Amino acid sequence: MRPSFLKLNAPYLAAIVIEPTPELTIANILNGEHEGAEAFMVDIAAWAPDCLTKETLTRLFHCCGRPMMPLCYRSRNLGADKVSDDDRAELMIRCIDAGAAACDIMGDLFAPAPHELTRDQKAIDKQKKLVDRMHALGAEVLMSSHIYNEYVPGDAVLDHMFEIQNRGVDIAKIVVSANTDDELIEAFRTTVLLKKSLKVPFVHLCNGKFARIQRYMAPVLGAALTFGFREYTAHATGPQPIIRNARAVLDELSWHQDY
Ligand SMILES: O=C1C[C@@](O)(C(=O)O)C[C@@H](O)[C@@H]1O
């Protein structure tokens, strides 16, 4: 049976895996599972394009029984100059055919837009059809917006996440910034607001100076997950904690709001 993100006990620890080859990706996942990751976001944008076959993707998505979600954002070998969004959508479908539990649709798929959320009705209709198609294949769907390096107040984050939720996805995700202690407090308030207001599970993450502490607290306040890297590498740098550390923190932080 296809693994599921929605059936995991929230909050859970999901590893972000960014490796240049399928073999290193699979090794990273197997090691990461051993260290306590419960799910995997697998960034395949660094792979050589000829590796993105159904056969290799099937090997990837069956390397362990944990739910996995490919990340096919517009970067590196999947940059907008190399791959159209229609082909990106087909790549995600190929990943589902190969066993991916879920896919991550960018909020501006089919019409690049500020704050990674399109308001173009034609693009939105196309996104909704893609969501239906993914559901029909048995996969779960997350929609994400990455608003890097920008502080976004809680009410605006909530409006944004309502818009994502309205597109029919199973998980809503947003990444913003917290660079001052006031922004950190607002980020905590925002997670609670999202928890109270959204019907779907959500991912709420900050980058910036206060990213690490926000990423430990968000799951405690109602976010579905926090992300970790297995280790920092040339491909994986960022505010995400190391899986082993995040595992210990989530295990010891024995208070959280239930779904
Ligand atoms: O979607 C995400 C989440 C992320 O942006 C973060 O802030 O943790 C990091 C990216 O590598 C990943 O693709």
Side-chain angles (χ1 to χ4, degrees):
M1 207 164 84
R2 196 183 293 271
S4 161
F5 280 81
L6 296 176
K7 287 187 188 149
L8 291 172
N9 272 337
Y12 53 90
L13 174 56
I16 295 179
V17 181
I18 312 175
E19 296 285 359
T21 68
E23 286 67 32
L24 287 171
T25 303
I26 290 171
N28 185 317
I29 291 169
L30 296 178
N31 283 313
E33 182 188 26
H34 209 68
E35 291 166 1
E38 296 157 90
F40 296 89
M41 311 310 213
V42 190
D43 187 329
I44 52 177
W47 287 16
D50 61 1
C51 291
L52 297 172
T53 59
K54 170 128 184 247
E55 192 193 11
T56 302
L57 291 166
T58 300
R59 221 159 28 89
L60 164 68
F61 293 119
H62 289 82
C63 76
C64 74
R66 301 282 176 184
M68 297 183 208
M69 180 182 314
L71 302 179
C72 308
Y73 303 143
R74 296 184 195 101
S75 76
R76 291 155 288 160
N77 296 333
L78 298 179
D81 54 329
K82 299 187 181 75
V83 177
S84 70
D85 278 2
D86 286 324
D87 288 346
R88 194 178 314 283
E90 291 312 314
L91 172 58
M92 288 191 254
I93 295 290
R94 197 183 314 149
C95 288
I96 293 171
D97 285 340
C103 276
D104 176 335
I105 299 181
M106 300 168 302
D108 67 348
L109 189 75
F110 304 128
H115 285 187
E116 227 175 69
L117 187 69
T118 183
R119 305 282 176 172
D120 175 313
Q121 195 53 48
K122 267 195 192 154
I124 294 172
D125 292 344
K126 230 170 135 178
Q127 288 180 349
K128 286 182 172 169
K129 274 197 188 138
L130 181 61
V131 172
D132 288 346
R133 198 172 153 205
M134 289 174 166
H135 281 155
L137 290 170
E140 297 162 350
V141 186
L142 173 152
M143 182 170 281
S144 65
S145 295
H146 302 80
I147 309 176
Y148 290 120
N149 306 322
E150 198 175 317
Y151 164 68
V152 184
D155 295 356
V157 171
L158 180 62
D159 284 350
H160 190 117
M161 293 288 259
F162 272 143
E163 181 60 35
I164 287 181
Q165 177 175 269
N166 286 342
R167 295 185 191 177
V169 297
D170 306 293
I171 306 171
K173 173 181 151 195
I174 192 164
V175 183
V176 291
S177 262
N179 277 304
T180 66
D181 43 12
D182 284 343
E183 290 176 6
L184 175 66
I185 300 295
E186 178 66 357
F188 293 156
R189 187 185 81 83
T190 303
T191 305
V192 174
L193 186 63
L194 294 173
K195 170 70 181 159
K196 281 185 184 159
S197 314
L198 293 177
K199 287 201 208 84
V200 295
F202 66 90
V203 181
H204 173 225
L205 298 168
C206 287
N207 285 324
K209 197 171 158 192
F210 289 86
R212 177 70 52 78
I213 185 68
Q214 189 274 339
R215 284 162 184 262
Y216 278 137
M217 291 305 292
V220 177
L221 297 175
L225 63 79
T226 201
F227 285 146
F229 285 136
R230 190 178 167 247
E231 61 180 356
Y232 300 116
T233 68
H235 301 279
T237 55
Q240 298 84 353
I242 294 296
I243 290 170
R244 281 191 303 272
N245 289 26
R247 183 71 271 155
V249 172
L250 285 194
D251 287 345
E252 297 301 325
L253 265 174
S254 55
W255 184 89
H256 68 86
Q257 298 195 24
D258 294 327
Y259 274 105

